[in-house]
Amino acid sequence: MSEISNTRYIFDMQNIRLPNHLYNICPRPLLDALKNVRHVASRTFAALKHVERQYNKRFYRMCPRDSEHEHHYYIHVESVRRLFNWKADHEPCCPTLAPSMKLPPFMLHFHIEEAAYAMYAAEYARLRMEYLDGPHRVWIDATGEVFDKLESSGAEFSEMEMRQFCRWWGSFLREMRKWEDRFDELVLPSWEEIVGELYDAIEERVELDYCC
């Protein structure tokens, strides 16, 4: 089941900050490249979060949001929020004997149109491409610059210092993979798939046999 939620990114700052003993032995061009790569990483991560926020609107954007449908849109958005905020068990660490009551259908009013979702999907596809051609490309270039500066600085490191730096640099890149890899998950479902996901959520969370 697809949920509407923000991914939590937990970073180990020890793997991000260059240790003092390495900072003191790195030549200035390499330090400048490292400063730049951290700055670029921050900007690229922020751009990825923007893509993620737009991805999280996928169920909302099944409804047109132009002025003609403004009323329908806000009701639809609130209904989606209620649907996906429902939990089978609100206290998973201390489960109750009885499951949570499902949502009564009168609380939910969905308004979906394939054309609206297609328009959103086109906007989202452009956003993904802008991310790849812009911030992500700058990030790739910045990491490449670090490799270049490291290669040209090799003679200034002892073998042990080079191993220590490469070990830290590998840890830094693995830390960055926590957000880099997220992009591949931010692929919109097709219209048929998202309708199926919405239907499954309704079937799971709404009391379809509700009687007033």
Side-chain angles (χ1 to χ4, degrees):
M1 170 60 60
S2 295
E3 301 288 347
I4 300 180
S5 60
N6 289 321
T7 299
R8 291 187 64 194
Y9 300 91
I10 301 175
F11 300 107
D12 185 346
M13 296 308 296
Q14 189 172 353
N15 294 329
I16 295 177
R17 294 194 184 99
L18 182 66
N20 287 336
H21 71 281
L22 292 176
Y23 181 90
N24 292 332
I25 63 174
C26 284
R28 177 51 56 185
L30 180 56
L31 288 176
D32 289 343
L34 290 172
K35 180 180 179 181
N36 180 60
V37 83
R38 286 193 295 269
H39 176 67
V40 169
S42 178
R43 292 177 57 187
T44 309
F45 178 51
L48 176 71
K49 291 290 288 180
H50 177 62
V51 175
E52 186 176 58
R53 285 192 294 272
Q54 298 309 307
Y55 173 80
N56 286 339
K57 295 178 181 179
R58 61 197 182 281
F59 288 101
Y60 304 154
R61 297 295 301 276
M62 297 174 78
C63 176
R65 64 171 188 174
D66 52 46
S67 57
E68 181 182 351
H69 298 89
E70 184 175 6
H71 180 66
H72 288 303
Y73 179 75
Y74 287 113
I75 292 176
H76 171 82
V77 166
E78 183 58 32
S79 298
V80 169
R81 285 176 177 161
R82 286 177 177 172
L83 181 67
F84 285 99
N85 283 338
W86 182 90
K87 303 295 181 185
D89 188 341
H90 291 285
E91 297 291 341
C93 296
C94 184
T96 57
L97 294 176
S100 301
M101 294 206 40
K102 292 188 176 183
L103 297 167
F106 70 82
M107 293 179 62
L108 306 174
H109 301 277
F110 300 105
H111 182 91
I112 65 174
E113 293 184 13
E114 185 174 0
Y117 187 74
M119 185 178 300
Y120 158 68
E123 294 172 4
Y124 184 75
R126 287 193 295 271
L127 182 64
R128 277 175 58 90
M129 189 57 63
E130 289 171 2
Y131 170 82
L132 288 176
D133 291 342
H136 188 260
R137 171 50 54 191
V138 176
W139 161 248
I140 295 300
D141 292 343
T143 57
E145 183 182 4
V146 172
F147 281 110
D148 291 342
K149 299 303 182 185
L150 179 61
E151 185 177 7
S152 62
S153 303
E156 302 185 42
F157 289 110
S158 69
E159 184 177 343
M160 183 182 69
E161 290 168 343
M162 179 62 78
R163 284 200 305 269
Q164 289 176 337
F165 182 89
C166 290
R167 188 181 303 117
W168 170 81
W169 178 238
S171 298
F172 175 85
L173 291 179
R174 284 192 296 273
E175 209 68 28
M176 297 301 101
R177 290 289 297 274
K178 292 178 179 179
W179 58 264
E180 274 192 284
D181 291 348
R182 176 63 173 148
F183 180 78
D184 292 333
E185 301 172 5
L186 301 177
V187 178
L188 284 184
S190 67
W191 172 251
E192 291 76 14
E193 289 169 337
I194 198 167
V195 168
E197 290 174 7
L198 183 62
Y199 177 82
D200 289 344
I202 292 171
E203 195 171 51
E204 176 190 3
R205 305 169 185 216
V206 178
E207 183 53 74
L208 298 178
D209 296 327
Y210 177 85
C211 294
C212 298

